[in-house]
Amino acid sequence: MIFETGSDVETFTLGERIGQKASPGQIYALSGDLGVGKTVLTQGIAKGLGISEPVCSPTFTIMQSYEDGRLPFYHFDVYRITDVEEMEEIGYEDCFYGGGVCLIEWAELISDILPADCISICVEKDPEKDFDYRKITIDFPEGKHTFEV
């Protein structure tokens, strides 16, 4: 599925709709260059899950958990991960295989440990179209039901 947004508000709103449809155990593998809007999309997903506290990228803490929504939300930023053992040290398996929703920024850096049924989301800019334009591609694992966003 491909979505196009033309502002931070539209990107946030798309994220919010994704969060409203999220189910327990879902893992979103998020990719995209620096400054492309991954955090804005993530904030929208958190809002859609009913998270009321501020959500920011956990670049230095690797993982931030939010428990006040309709489902627990585990937000990973693995940009600084140098070894998969670091993920084991923070107990990623409890998050990946629990009843919450995981979102992993820079997920391609830990592809070896991602479950096969992750939902991939790629956020891309195209400055030739517009500075605020974003192309957001959502790929579902084979055989998994897609949702209307």
Side-chain angles (χ1 to χ4, degrees):
M1 301 174 78
I2 296 175
F3 299 89
E4 296 176 305
T5 63
S7 68
D8 283 350
V9 171
E10 289 179 10
T11 300
F12 182 93
T13 300
L14 175 62
E16 187 174 10
R17 293 188 342 230
I18 293 168
Q20 290 167 347
K21 302 286 185 178
S23 301
Q26 283 186 321
I27 299 173
Y28 297 95
L30 185 56
S31 63
D33 292 334
L34 284 170
V36 80
K38 294 184 301 292
T39 300
V40 171
L41 186 71
T42 300
Q43 290 168 337
I45 291 171
K47 173 78 171 175
L49 285 166
I51 306 295
S52 59
E53 63 186 286
V55 172
C56 57
S57 194
T59 303
F60 295 100
T61 58
I62 311 296
M63 194 272 291
Q64 181 68 33
S65 64
Y66 302 90
E67 304 286 336
D68 69 335
R70 68 177 176 85
L71 295 169
F73 181 53
Y74 306 106
H75 180 199
F76 291 82
D77 181 331
V78 298
Y79 185 73
R80 298 191 184 286
I81 290 288
T82 57
D83 191 305
V84 173
E85 288 180 10
E86 291 178 67
M87 291 296 290
E88 292 170 0
E89 290 172 10
I90 62 172
Y92 81 92
E93 289 178 325
D94 293 337
C95 301
F96 282 20
Y97 303 106
V101 172
C102 290
L103 183 135
I104 306 142
E105 294 188 46
W106 303 101
E108 64 274 13
L109 299 175
I110 60 164
S111 60
D112 292 348
I113 63 170
L114 292 177
D117 62 349
C118 284
I119 298 167
S120 296
I121 302 177
C122 180
V123 183
E124 301 171 282
K125 284 184 178 183
D126 186 347
E128 290 183 17
K129 289 193 175 190
D130 185 50
F131 179 78
D132 293 322
Y133 170 86
R134 300 294 184 267
K135 176 181 166 188
I136 301 167
T137 305
I138 303 175
D139 288 321
F140 295 88
E142 192 139 340
K144 285 286 187 170
H145 177 68
T146 63
F147 56 83
E148 293 296 319
V149 180

